[in-house]
Amino acid sequence: MTLLHSAALICAVALASTAMAQDHTSHETMKHDMTAAPAGDQSASSKAFAAANAKMHTDMAITFTGKPDRDFVLGMIAHHQGAIDMAKIELEYGKEAEIRKLAEEIIAAQESEIRQMKDWLQKNDG
């Protein structure tokens, strides 16, 4: 191996290590930001939305199995529950009749779909 090849290899390893460290740092920052108080408004509704969002993202961080149907259902149950939680916050704090009606419809639809997915898991996961 020539000196030039050795130098190129060292540079490549150094760049890859830096990129991996930056990627890890950005994921840690994102993880921290999701659990922090919301930026901007600090009202009760904003804090409730931030908490619901953080919980949904935590619950969606499933261990993947390589079984796409199962992984989809597990992730979507958490995602749908997040929609229900946000819709309930809308019903608690929201004022607009049209949006409150939408929140009620979201709760009904998402609860029905969660039941369907849980039934599927029970039938197909043993």
Side-chain angles (χ1 to χ4, degrees):
M1 183 179 277
T2 67
L3 184 57
L4 182 59
H5 286 114
S6 297
L9 181 60
I10 290 169
C11 287
V13 170
L15 287 172
S17 297
T18 301
M20 287 172 54
Q22 287 174 341
D23 185 54
H24 177 73
T25 300
S26 67
H27 287 295
E28 288 302 311
T29 300
M30 182 175 24
K31 183 177 169 183
H32 172 72
D33 288 348
M34 288 187 340
T35 59
D41 183 66
Q42 295 294 307
S43 68
S45 64
S46 293
K47 289 179 180 179
F49 281 126
N53 189 48
K55 181 182 183 312
M56 178 184 69
H57 281 93
T58 297
D59 292 349
M60 287 178 63
I62 64 169
T63 300
F64 295 102
T65 65
K67 299 175 184 175
D69 298 323
R70 182 180 187 284
D71 293 346
F72 171 76
V73 167
L74 289 174
M76 288 306 292
I77 288 171
H79 188 265
H80 280 30
Q81 185 60 55
I84 292 167
D85 295 345
M86 287 187 282
K88 288 179 178 179
I89 295 166
E90 166 58 25
L91 293 177
E92 183 175 351
Y93 296 102
K95 305 288 186 234
E96 298 290 329
E98 179 182 0
I99 302 303
R100 291 176 57 80
K101 183 178 184 305
L102 177 62
E104 290 171 347
E105 292 169 356
I106 287 170
I107 291 168
Q110 302 294 298
E111 285 178 341
S112 174
E113 291 177 6
I114 287 173
R115 279 191 301 277
Q116 179 183 358
M117 289 184 282
K118 285 183 175 180
D119 288 346
W120 183 88
L121 278 175
Q122 195 169 32
K123 289 175 192 170
N124 292 281
D125 248 6

